[in-house]
Amino acid sequence: MTEFPQTSTLLVSCPDRRGIVAALAQVLHGHGANILDSDQHTDTEAGVFFQRICFDTRELLSDRTSLERAIDEVAERMGMRFQLSDSSTRKRLAIFVSRTDHCLYDLLLRQRAGELRCDIPLIVSNHPDLKPVADQFGIDFEVFPISADNKPAQERRELERLEAHGIDVIALARYMQVLSGDFVEHYPARIINIHHSFLPAFSGGRPYQQARERGVKLIGATAHYATLDLDEGPIIEQDVIRTSHRDSVADLTRKGRDVERSVLSHAVRWHLEDRVLVYGNKTVVFPG
Amino acid sequence: MTEFPQTSTLLVSCPDRRGIVAALAQVLHGHGANILDSDQHTDTEAGVFFQRICFDTRELLSDRTSLERAIDEVAERMGMRFQLSDSSTRKRLAIFVSRTDHCLYDLLLRQRAGELRCDIPLIVSNHPDLKPVADQFGIDFEVFPISADNKPAQERRELERLEAHGIDVIALARYMQVLSGDFVEHYPARIINIHHSFLPAFSGGRPYQQARERGVKLIGATAHYATLDLDEGPIIEQDVIRTSHRDSVADLTRKGRDVERSVLSHAVRWHLEDRVLVYGNKTVVFPG
Amino acid sequence: MTEFPQTSTLLVSCPDRRGIVAALAQVLHGHGANILDSDQHTDTEAGVFFQRICFDTRELLSDRTSLERAIDEVAERMGMRFQLSDSSTRKRLAIFVSRTDHCLYDLLLRQRAGELRCDIPLIVSNHPDLKPVADQFGIDFEVFPISADNKPAQERRELERLEAHGIDVIALARYMQVLSGDFVEHYPARIINIHHSFLPAFSGGRPYQQARERGVKLIGATAHYATLDLDEGPIIEQDVIRTSHRDSVADLTRKGRDVERSVLSHAVRWHLEDRVLVYGNKTVVFPG
Amino acid sequence: MTEFPQTSTLLVSCPDRRGIVAALAQVLHGHGANILDSDQHTDTEAGVFFQRICFDTRELLSDRTSLERAIDEVAERMGMRFQLSDSSTRKRLAIFVSRTDHCLYDLLLRQRAGELRCDIPLIVSNHPDLKPVADQFGIDFEVFPISADNKPAQERRELERLEAHGIDVIALARYMQVLSGDFVEHYPARIINIHHSFLPAFSGGRPYQQARERGVKLIGATAHYATLDLDEGPIIEQDVIRTSHRDSVADLTRKGRDVERSVLSHAVRWHLEDRVLVYGNKTVVFPG
């Protein structure tokens, strides 16, 4: 659903127990919030409760702070983790790239078309090649060449720049460098990577080559949160495309670009709209 | 979600207003119902509120009757239409067929595999051909040949038999007879038809022939509730399959059978699981 | 298949008769052409034969002219229409746009990435808005505002400019003006339009609005050759995307953009690679 | 394409060299065969040529034997492997099952509907459970319980029965026993297995459980020829279906059944229509 100018989104998870839905509904109703859309799920096996509530804030009876305090009180009682976002506050996205531009252009154009509710103040790269693209869109482009020697130092500088730009979330748009554990820990469940295979098949390098050698009839792409273990983070979205014996590695690469673009942009949009909850090594994605 | 042995499903719609979610959550919580899964949507344009709540009834503090009375009280206050189903009460499905068996077999096998939570006590046909299939599955098979002359009388007899079998919902599994308005009105939003095109394209007869003549690259199927206007009822589900110049009408028919089976079985399952709400000429389908 | 630096593609259609395959294979073999990929189809109902042959020209025993003459001789004998293209000669594509840029960017980026084997010397528009995009890619952008009064004159000027640029094929990338019959006749089966519905459903204007009103569960897009009859030309490619009750018209528009991009770019690529043959109001598309 | 009553299909592969297409076309034309449909591909990397030719035999100028002799002569000259099938000769399919019936029913119903051009004289199982299904379709059902001790002996008896029934091809329709290398070697590239994951992901046992644990957003199925290495044979067809956090293992199993049915039936149909060529550990599948 395209959301309205003045809405808030509440995303919660907690150990399953009775009365959570009622308690939250009561708090929101009591503060004059009109619920527009809510989606709730309980993983009965894991005993975990998840909910996403989108509500109209135009006729709130109290201010934002007192509403948040009331939710906080419920959260404490229920052992709940929650996140409250306002449609008026746009998240700030940094895009990391190397030399290929298809995912970068896709995110920039979607943001400009209003599909991605965020600001994009910064593009980071280990190569200077894509600066002209950043320039066209009027976005800062900062280059941090990475070598075995300078990696820790460069990552520290990157983190400084991210902080200076007030970055909330990072999209690795075919960024061909492995981030260190240190770096990743600064943005838990906030760095979205695109891998060009339907993981867990063909993890690691050259997945199209691997796919062609195995003779699969589908190739895919996977967007996941970056974690310490490469290609092992919680999966947000996956899709595939059909291939045939006529497809060379160049054809697979072309087809793959379409899937990568689509899968990465979905994952980023859902993250920006607070539709994704991580638990264990999995995600709950509330569709929209 | 596969639902649990002892769950109930509450499906509601009403004019949108504040406090509906809270009121329902409060009632359920107050009676000891543990909400397992809930999905809510507001059509802000039409000003209509929709919700589906699935809850565990194993630790209800009251009996079913007093819970229903309490919901009824909220419903009256809110101008709400609602429907409350228990997992222990299986809906009763009748299947109408003519001479082709693919949708019939599909529904019967899925029911036997536990995919469709219903009983199927009756198969109705205007031809005797598929009686052996009914026999294999131990289901009553009743033949009502229809002609211009006898249609009203035959439909009356069909309605008697449906009532005698306590039928809740009817699947027209490629039944090649138009039902009268009289008949349809006995089962409003409870007769599910499968049409072999992606409506509104190629309504009426011979859609594969029409599709081939127009040279479309996809053929489809549409499951909808039967209404007075043929092929115009609220759409529950649609899907398509790719075709090529190599496909003869026979190939389109084969591909079409796969889509018809899949689309009809989804629509029937969703109806049986109380996932479908009709408003105007459209449906809200809560996914599962 | 990604084709090789020095290949030619022969595309033929004719009334079906014996010996066509053998005659063409003989001619090609006799001139030293090595067939890399061939795909043949006979519409036995219509009695029409179609073939696409891609061959390696690196070891031709004769020159291009004498090969073409030999094919011509077979063509005359068989009543065949044929088209012979060399990988070294790139087709020249003009893109017509109005105010929306998603299809335009998509074609430009794909061309730059090497997915579309063509030159794009000219972008034509009835509005000045997208000139900056043309500038970024270094392409001529010419504006021809159209009114009821000036349409014939403006179209004549457009045709002059197209001729001056040696244009072979035109993509209407969401160009919001109907071309006159006169204009269309200058480029028979060489103007590719994208319509934002799965035709023949929702032809005419505002297809997303129509789709939402009818409550369909899929929306689509159709690429077809422009003909005198609006939205009635031979379909080259179609695809659909799933929608739900949560989708506003804005959401349908967003989802639709993805399908439009994908469908238009496929149609354009297939046309450029000589994969499309028109007969009657239908196409044969040899996949690749 | 639905093929005609009197057609033959020639399937060839050989090291790539000039003149193959011309030589075959010449032989067929010289014997009065009218080519209806042909599809050819060269893997330029591996240097292998593949072709499938379907031709009308109603006006052959010679008998079948002399045509085959002529093809044989070309084959010898070109180092070609070939296979010539007549539409009048139906292949004989045996189905191996254990306890689940969805793939079995699917193949039997498709065969009866005319989708699979074959006879099915024999169903083999390691359990007696599905005998009633075989009885309904009037097919021999033979039970061979397998234990570690009796496996070689039982497989020998199975091979005898397969030979007695003149079996050409075997479909493992969720047969839960690993075949020995000895057994597999009796039917090279003629035993089709269905695995319930998108291989190479989740090979081995319990793929739905594995899929759920990894949190993938798609589950799939793979049809491949059985080889000595379990789950490693040449892939014929794959497909996937979307899952969500709402899906329990039971839901994945239900969704999986649909994909398994579809993927296995495609693979079997393509094999029966001589559309599949194996080279190395991969397949070329000519679409139809």
Side-chain angles (χ1 to χ4, degrees):
Chain A
M1 204 191 60
T2 298
E3 272 142 37
F4 298 80
Q6 286 155 292
T7 58
S8 287
T9 301
L10 177 64
L11 200 59
V12 308
S13 62
C14 62
D16 188 30
R17 43 172 295 180
R18 287 151 180 291
I20 310 172
V21 173
L24 289 173
Q26 204 52 56
V27 164
L28 291 173
H29 182 53
H31 285 72
N34 189 29
I35 297 180
L36 296 167
D37 208 275
S38 105
D39 203 341
Q40 182 259 318
H41 175 67
T42 303
D43 184 325
T44 50
E45 218 171 274
V48 188
F49 171 98
F50 308 93
Q51 189 169 18
R52 179 183 188 269
I53 308 176
C54 175
F55 53 95
D56 189 335
T57 57
R58 282 174 300 183
E59 301 183 31
L60 270 194
L61 304 171
S62 67
D63 62 8
R64 171 69 155 77
T65 313
S66 88
L67 173 62
E68 187 154 1
R69 203 179 306 126
I71 295 170
D72 206 46
E73 190 275 326
V74 175
E76 195 142 324
R77 191 149 43 87
M78 301 279 185
M80 190 182 279
R81 288 189 306 169
F82 79 96
Q83 182 180 325
L84 183 63
S85 307
D86 290 325
S87 60
S88 55
T89 313
R90 295 158 67 90
K91 290 195 175 65
R92 294 174 69 78
L93 171 71
I95 305 176
F96 278 47
V97 295
S98 289
R99 284 188 166 116
T100 60
D101 64 3
H102 60 284
C103 284
L104 175 61
Y105 260 112
D106 190 69
L107 292 174
L108 295 175
L109 289 169
R110 287 181 193 275
Q111 192 269 351
R112 200 159 78 182
E115 293 184 20
L116 302 177
R117 206 179 337 142
C118 66
D119 294 320
I120 306 180
L122 178 63
I123 297 170
V124 167
S125 184
N126 53 341
H127 295 287
D129 309 40
L130 298 181
K131 186 168 189 316
V133 183
D135 290 348
Q136 281 167 29
F137 288 78
I139 298 172
D140 276 10
F141 185 88
E142 307 199 4
V143 182
F144 301 89
I146 308 279
S147 65
D149 290 345
N150 72 3
K151 185 161 179 168
Q154 291 289 65
E155 284 195 345
R156 269 195 306 278
R157 291 181 50 222
E158 287 171 355
L159 286 168
E160 283 166 26
R161 300 304 300 142
L162 293 167
E163 200 172 337
H165 277 93
I167 295 302
D168 298 300
V169 52
I170 297 168
L172 306 179
R174 302 298 312 277
Y175 179 63
M176 307 307 274
Q177 270 288 332
V178 177
L179 300 174
S180 74
D182 251 23
F183 188 101
V184 169
E185 276 170 8
H186 276 81
Y187 291 90
R190 294 196 285 146
I191 305 175
I192 300 170
N193 185 41
I194 180 76
H195 186 271
H196 42 316
S197 82
F198 48 83
L199 289 173
F202 311 130
S203 60
R206 313 194 71 198
Y208 295 135
Q209 193 71 40
Q210 290 182 60
R212 190 148 197 267
E213 274 157 22
R214 182 59 187 91
V216 291
K217 301 299 182 184
L218 304 167
I219 58 165
T222 303
H224 63 91
Y225 287 116
T227 56
L228 297 188
D229 299 312
L230 199 64
D231 301 338
E232 295 289 331
I235 293 172
I236 307 168
E237 172 64 339
Q238 302 186 288
D239 208 352
V240 295
I241 194 169
R242 193 156 285 277
T243 69
S244 87
H245 55 270
R246 293 181 192 263
D247 292 321
S248 64
V249 168
D251 294 314
L252 297 185
T253 305
R254 168 178 55 75
K255 289 184 170 183
R257 278 196 293 258
D258 281 353
V259 196
E260 292 163 28
R261 260 192 290 254
S262 164
V263 165
L264 179 61
S265 73
H266 275 91
V268 169
R269 184 162 60 80
W270 292 337
H271 181 97
L272 293 172
E273 296 178 358
D274 299 299
R275 299 185 178 282
V276 190
L277 275 161
V278 174
Y279 73 117
N281 201 41
K282 299 199 283 187
T283 63
V284 164
V285 180
F286 290 115
Chain B
M1 202 192 60
T2 297
E3 273 143 35
F4 299 81
Q6 287 156 290
T7 58
S8 287
T9 302
L10 177 64
L11 200 60
V12 309
S13 62
C14 61
D16 189 29
R17 44 173 295 181
R18 286 150 182 295
I20 311 173
V21 173
L24 289 173
Q26 204 51 56
V27 164
L28 291 174
H29 182 53
H31 285 73
N34 190 28
I35 296 179
L36 296 167
D37 209 273
S38 104
D39 203 340
Q40 183 259 318
H41 175 66
T42 303
D43 183 325
T44 50
E45 218 171 273
V48 188
F49 171 96
F50 308 94
Q51 189 168 20
R52 180 184 187 269
I53 308 175
C54 174
F55 53 95
D56 189 335
T57 57
R58 281 174 300 183
E59 302 181 31
L60 271 194
L61 303 172
S62 67
D63 60 11
R64 171 69 156 75
T65 313
S66 86
L67 173 62
E68 189 154 1
R69 204 178 306 124
I71 295 170
D72 206 46
E73 189 277 326
V74 175
E76 197 142 322
R77 191 151 40 90
M78 301 282 186
M80 188 182 281
R81 286 189 308 168
F82 79 96
Q83 181 181 326
L84 182 63
S85 308
D86 290 324
S87 61
S88 55
T89 312
R90 295 157 68 87
K91 288 194 177 66
R92 295 173 69 77
L93 171 70
I95 306 176
F96 278 45
V97 295
S98 289
R99 284 189 166 115
T100 61
D101 65 2
H102 60 285
C103 284
L104 174 62
Y105 260 113
D106 191 67
L107 292 174
L108 295 176
L109 289 169
R110 287 183 194 273
Q111 191 269 352
R112 199 158 79 183
E115 292 184 20
L116 303 177
R117 209 183 332 144
C118 66
D119 294 320
I120 305 180
L122 178 64
I123 297 170
V124 166
S125 184
N126 52 342
H127 293 289
D129 310 39
L130 298 181
K131 185 166 191 314
V133 182
D135 290 347
Q136 280 166 30
F137 287 79
I139 297 172
D140 276 10
F141 184 88
E142 307 198 5
V143 183
F144 299 89
I146 308 278
S147 65
D149 291 345
N150 71 5
K151 187 159 176 168
Q154 291 290 61
E155 285 196 348
R156 270 196 305 279
R157 290 181 51 218
E158 287 171 355
L159 286 168
E160 282 166 27
R161 300 304 300 146
L162 293 167
E163 200 173 336
H165 277 94
I167 296 303
D168 297 300
V169 51
I170 296 169
L172 306 179
R174 299 300 311 279
Y175 178 63
M176 307 307 274
Q177 271 288 331
V178 178
L179 299 174
S180 74
D182 250 23
F183 188 101
V184 169
E185 276 170 6
H186 276 81
Y187 291 91
R190 294 195 285 146
I191 304 175
I192 300 170
N193 184 42
I194 180 77
H195 186 273
H196 42 314
S197 82
F198 47 83
L199 291 173
F202 311 130
S203 60
R206 311 193 73 198
Y208 296 135
Q209 193 71 39
Q210 290 182 61
R212 189 146 198 269
E213 273 155 24
R214 182 60 188 91
V216 292
K217 301 299 183 186
L218 303 169
I219 58 165
T222 303
H224 62 92
Y225 286 116
T227 55
L228 297 188
D229 299 315
L230 199 64
D231 300 339
E232 294 290 332
I235 293 172
I236 308 168
E237 172 64 342
Q238 300 186 289
D239 208 352
V240 294
I241 194 168
R242 192 156 286 280
T243 70
S244 88
H245 56 269
R246 292 180 193 268
D247 291 321
S248 63
V249 168
D251 293 315
L252 297 185
T253 305
R254 168 178 55 75
K255 289 183 170 184
R257 278 196 293 259
D258 281 354
V259 196
E260 291 163 30
R261 259 192 292 254
S262 165
V263 166
L264 178 60
S265 73
H266 276 90
V268 169
R269 184 161 62 80
W270 292 338
H271 180 97
L272 293 172
E273 297 179 357
D274 299 299
R275 298 186 177 281
V276 190
L277 276 161
V278 174
Y279 72 117
N281 200 39
K282 299 200 281 187
T283 64
V284 164
V285 180
F286 289 116
Chain C
M1 201 191 62
T2 299
E3 273 144 37
F4 298 82
Q6 287 156 290
T7 57
S8 288
T9 301
L10 177 64
L11 200 59
V12 309
S13 62
C14 62
D16 189 29
R17 43 173 295 181
R18 287 151 181 293
I20 311 172
V21 174
L24 289 173
Q26 203 52 54
V27 163
L28 292 174
H29 182 53
H31 286 72
N34 189 29
I35 296 180
L36 295 167
D37 208 274
S38 105
D39 204 340
Q40 183 259 319
H41 175 65
T42 303
D43 183 325
T44 49
E45 217 171 276
V48 189
F49 171 98
F50 308 93
Q51 189 168 20
R52 180 184 188 268
I53 308 174
C54 176
F55 54 94
D56 189 336
T57 56
R58 281 175 300 184
E59 300 182 34
L60 270 195
L61 304 172
S62 67
D63 60 10
R64 171 67 156 76
T65 313
S66 88
L67 173 62
E68 189 155 359
R69 202 178 306 128
I71 294 170
D72 206 46
E73 189 276 324
V74 175
E76 195 142 325
R77 190 149 42 88
M78 300 281 184
M80 190 182 280
R81 287 189 306 168
F82 79 95
Q83 181 180 325
L84 183 64
S85 308
D86 290 324
S87 60
S88 55
T89 312
R90 294 158 68 88
K91 290 195 175 65
R92 294 172 70 77
L93 171 71
I95 305 177
F96 279 46
V97 294
S98 289
R99 284 188 166 117
T100 60
D101 65 2
H102 60 285
C103 284
L104 173 62
Y105 259 113
D106 190 68
L107 292 174
L108 295 176
L109 288 169
R110 287 182 194 274
Q111 191 268 352
R112 198 158 80 182
E115 292 184 21
L116 301 177
R117 207 180 338 142
C118 66
D119 294 320
I120 305 180
L122 177 64
I123 297 171
V124 168
S125 185
N126 52 341
H127 294 289
D129 308 39
L130 298 181
K131 184 168 191 314
V133 183
D135 290 348
Q136 281 166 29
F137 287 80
I139 297 173
D140 276 10
F141 185 88
E142 308 199 3
V143 183
F144 300 88
I146 308 278
S147 64
D149 290 345
N150 71 4
K151 187 160 176 166
Q154 291 290 63
E155 284 196 346
R156 269 195 306 278
R157 291 181 50 221
E158 287 171 355
L159 286 168
E160 282 166 26
R161 300 304 300 144
L162 293 167
E163 200 174 336
H165 277 94
I167 295 303
D168 298 300
V169 52
I170 297 169
L172 305 179
R174 301 299 312 276
Y175 178 64
M176 307 307 274
Q177 271 288 333
V178 177
L179 300 174
S180 73
D182 251 23
F183 189 101
V184 170
E185 275 170 7
H186 276 82
Y187 290 90
R190 293 195 288 145
I191 304 176
I192 300 171
N193 185 41
I194 180 75
H195 186 271
H196 44 316
S197 82
F198 47 83
L199 290 174
F202 310 130
S203 60
R206 312 193 71 199
Y208 296 135
Q209 193 71 41
Q210 291 182 59
R212 190 148 195 269
E213 275 157 21
R214 182 59 188 94
V216 292
K217 301 300 182 186
L218 303 168
I219 58 165
T222 304
H224 62 91
Y225 287 116
T227 55
L228 297 188
D229 299 314
L230 198 64
D231 300 339
E232 294 290 331
I235 293 172
I236 307 169
E237 172 65 340
Q238 301 186 289
D239 208 353
V240 295
I241 194 168
R242 192 157 286 278
T243 70
S244 87
H245 54 271
R246 293 181 193 265
D247 292 321
S248 64
V249 168
D251 293 314
L252 297 185
T253 305
R254 167 178 54 76
K255 289 185 170 182
R257 279 197 292 259
D258 281 354
V259 195
E260 291 162 29
R261 260 191 290 255
S262 165
V263 165
L264 178 60
S265 73
H266 276 90
V268 169
R269 184 162 61 79
W270 292 337
H271 181 97
L272 293 172
E273 296 178 359
D274 300 299
R275 297 185 178 282
V276 190
L277 275 161
V278 174
Y279 73 117
N281 200 40
K282 299 199 282 187
T283 63
V284 165
V285 179
F286 289 115
Chain D
M1 205 191 61
T2 298
E3 273 145 35
F4 297 80
Q6 286 155 292
T7 57
S8 287
T9 302
L10 177 64
L11 200 60
V12 309
S13 63
C14 61
D16 188 29
R17 44 172 295 181
R18 286 151 180 293
I20 310 173
V21 173
L24 288 174
Q26 205 51 57
V27 163
L28 291 174
H29 183 52
H31 286 72
N34 189 29
I35 296 180
L36 296 168
D37 208 273
S38 104
D39 203 340
Q40 182 259 320
H41 175 66
T42 303
D43 183 326
T44 50
E45 218 171 90
V48 188
F49 171 97
F50 307 94
Q51 190 168 18
R52 180 183 187 271
I53 309 175
C54 175
F55 52 94
D56 189 334
T57 56
R58 281 175 300 183
E59 301 182 32
L60 271 194
L61 304 171
S62 67
D63 61 10
R64 170 72 156 74
T65 313
S66 87
L67 173 62
E68 189 154 1
R69 205 179 304 126
I71 295 170
D72 205 48
E73 190 276 327
V74 175
E76 196 144 321
R77 192 149 42 88
M78 301 281 186
M80 188 183 282
R81 285 189 309 168
F82 80 97
Q83 182 181 325
L84 183 63
S85 308
D86 291 324
S87 60
S88 56
T89 312
R90 294 158 69 88
K91 289 195 177 64
R92 294 174 69 77
L93 171 70
I95 305 177
F96 279 45
V97 295
S98 290
R99 284 188 167 116
T100 60
D101 65 3
H102 60 286
C103 285
L104 174 61
Y105 259 112
D106 191 68
L107 293 174
L108 295 176
L109 289 169
R110 287 182 194 275
Q111 191 269 350
R112 200 158 79 182
E115 292 186 19
L116 302 177
R117 206 181 336 145
C118 66
D119 294 319
I120 306 181
L122 178 64
I123 298 170
V124 167
S125 184
N126 53 341
H127 294 289
D129 309 39
L130 298 180
K131 184 165 191 313
V133 183
D135 290 348
Q136 280 167 29
F137 287 79
I139 297 172
D140 276 9
F141 185 87
E142 306 199 5
V143 183
F144 300 89
I146 308 279
S147 65
D149 291 345
N150 71 5
K151 187 160 177 167
Q154 291 290 63
E155 285 197 347
R156 270 195 305 279
R157 290 182 50 217
E158 287 171 354
L159 286 168
E160 283 167 26
R161 300 304 300 145
L162 293 167
E163 199 173 338
H165 277 93
I167 296 304
D168 297 300
V169 51
I170 297 169
L172 306 179
R174 300 300 311 278
Y175 178 64
M176 307 306 274
Q177 271 289 332
V178 177
L179 299 174
S180 73
D182 250 24
F183 188 101
V184 170
E185 276 170 6
H186 277 81
Y187 291 90
R190 293 195 287 146
I191 304 175
I192 300 170
N193 185 42
I194 180 75
H195 187 271
H196 43 314
S197 82
F198 48 82
L199 290 173
F202 310 130
S203 60
R206 312 192 73 198
Y208 296 134
Q209 193 71 41
Q210 290 182 61
R212 190 147 196 268
E213 274 156 23
R214 182 61 188 91
V216 291
K217 301 299 183 187
L218 303 168
I219 59 165
T222 304
H224 63 91
Y225 286 116
T227 55
L228 297 188
D229 300 314
L230 200 62
D231 301 338
E232 294 290 332
I235 293 172
I236 307 168
E237 172 64 340
Q238 301 186 289
D239 207 351
V240 295
I241 195 169
R242 192 157 287 276
T243 70
S244 88
H245 56 270
R246 292 180 193 266
D247 292 320
S248 64
V249 168
D251 293 314
L252 297 185
T253 304
R254 167 177 56 76
K255 289 184 170 183
R257 278 197 293 259
D258 281 353
V259 196
E260 292 163 28
R261 260 192 290 256
S262 165
V263 166
L264 178 59
S265 73
H266 276 90
V268 168
R269 183 162 61 81
W270 292 338
H271 181 96
L272 292 172
E273 296 178 358
D274 299 299
R275 298 186 178 281
V276 190
L277 276 162
V278 174
Y279 73 117
N281 200 41
K282 299 199 281 188
T283 63
V284 165
V285 179
F286 290 114

